[in-house]
Amino acid sequence: MRLTRGQQTVRNLILCVLLGTLSYTALGFPPYTVQGMLDRVERQYLLSGLEPLLVKRNSLRYSNDFFSWHTTSVLARTGDTYVYASWSRHFLEVWPEYGRNLNMGRDALCTAIDGTLYVAGPFENAASAAVEITVERTTQVCDPETEEYTTALGEQRTYSYPGIKVNNGIFSFRYREEGESWLDESSLSSTSREWYREYLKGSTGGGYSIIHADLPVKVTLYDGDGGVLEILALTIDNYELDSRW
């Protein structure tokens, strides 16, 4: 039985839809939109009604790769719960960003994206804000025989930055200068990375690893007259501050 041109067109469209559905299923039903990403978070963490407050997108293309790598970072809120999630996409594949676990907080939350600290909370009455982030030189030595650690604390340094009100739920604080060198020892990015080291006892090779640490973050909120509205005591992982995404 010969098909008419119209029937052939319909048949080809149906085949395309079936192939697309099969490909989407084989890839694990990846979320391609912000809402799809938030739906995935809601199902995984038993949340509902997540509303995006901030969406940041970055892309990077390597010379030997035809398709670019894309990262989508989202700060969202449901009630008094705040969530940060980040996703990577390469062609049709989408997965949670490696090395940046989902972050969740009650009443307020802070995270860092590519040299900017973002603080989320109910900031309708706040006109301005400032932040202080304190780093403390921390050295851990691991005894491989007993698997015990000894920790030594040293110099402290506090960095202060003024905030920009992005919307009623977000303040941003830029802490990395444009063109800042990765080796700039005075920068927050550098100290948050290099001041937290772990060594093996008896090691003579000079090698070390960078340890995770929760750094104290003090956020001061001001009203329109410059009076202090509230002071938030938050924390941030030092790995986030050095992130380039």
Side-chain angles (χ1 to χ4, degrees), residues 178-189:
E178 294 296 332
E180 179 181 299
S181 171
W182 188 75
L183 300 175
D184 183 357
E185 296 181 356
S186 65
S187 70
L188 174 60
S189 293

Side-chain angles (χ1 to χ4, degrees), residues 137-141 150-154:
R137 194 181 294 275
T138 303
T139 304
Q140 287 187 347
V141 178
T150 58
T151 302
L153 303 178

Side-chain angles (χ1 to χ4, degrees), residues 165-178:
K165 190 170 186 179
V166 179
N167 53 50
N168 284 336
I170 297 283
F171 272 102
S172 69
F173 306 86
R174 184 68 184 175
Y175 62 86
R176 184 183 297 150
E177 299 292 338
E178 294 296 332

Side-chain angles (χ1 to χ4, degrees), residues 44-231:
Q44 186 174 359
Y45 293 91
L46 303 180
L47 299 171
S48 63
L50 278 174
E51 169 195 2
L53 298 173
L54 178 79
V55 178
K56 301 291 289 185
R57 293 182 173 90
N58 290 294
S59 62
L60 177 66
R61 183 176 177 181
Y62 298 99
S63 59
N64 61 344
D65 197 339
F66 183 78
F67 297 103
S68 297
W69 295 76
H70 303 272
T71 300
T72 301
S73 302
V74 184
L75 264 170
R77 173 182 62 193
T78 176
D80 59 357
T81 297
Y82 294 83
V83 172
Y84 166 81
S86 185
W87 300 77
S88 289
R89 177 173 62 84
H90 184 240
F91 189 39
L92 296 178
E93 294 183 276
V94 180
W95 60 92
E97 171 63 18
Y98 175 76
R100 293 293 300 269
N101 295 329
L102 181 137
N103 194 358
M104 187 182 306
R106 184 65 59 86
D107 298 327
L109 178 72
C110 68
T111 191
I113 306 172
D114 191 25
T116 298
L117 181 78
Y118 294 95
V119 179
F123 301 144
E124 292 84 355
N125 298 322
S128 60
V131 70
E132 295 180 358
I133 306 170
T134 301
V135 295
E136 183 173 25
R137 194 181 294 275
T138 303
T139 304
Q140 287 187 347
V141 178
C142 174
D143 187 333
E145 295 183 358
T146 63
E147 297 186 351
E148 294 182 347
Y149 289 84
T150 58
T151 302
L153 303 178
E155 177 186 354
Q156 288 189 352
R157 185 178 296 173
T158 298
Y159 296 84
S160 303
Y161 306 97
I164 296 176
K165 190 170 186 179
V166 179
N167 53 50
N168 284 336
I170 297 283
F171 272 102
S172 69
F173 306 86
R174 184 68 184 175
Y175 62 86
R176 184 183 297 150
E177 299 292 338
E178 294 296 332
E180 179 181 299
S181 171
W182 188 75
L183 300 175
D184 183 357
E185 296 181 356
S186 65
S187 70
L188 174 60
S189 293
S190 178
T191 53
S192 66
R193 177 182 67 251
E194 297 298 332
W195 279 23
Y196 295 86
R197 297 186 176 189
E198 178 185 317
Y199 298 88
L200 283 178
K201 183 178 180 179
S203 173
T204 58
Y208 65 91
S209 59
I210 300 171
I211 59 177
H212 281 273
D214 288 329
L215 309 187
V217 177
K218 176 184 174 182
V219 181
T220 305
L221 304 173
Y222 300 94
D223 60 23
D225 297 324
V228 175
L229 281 177
E230 187 178 1
I231 296 177

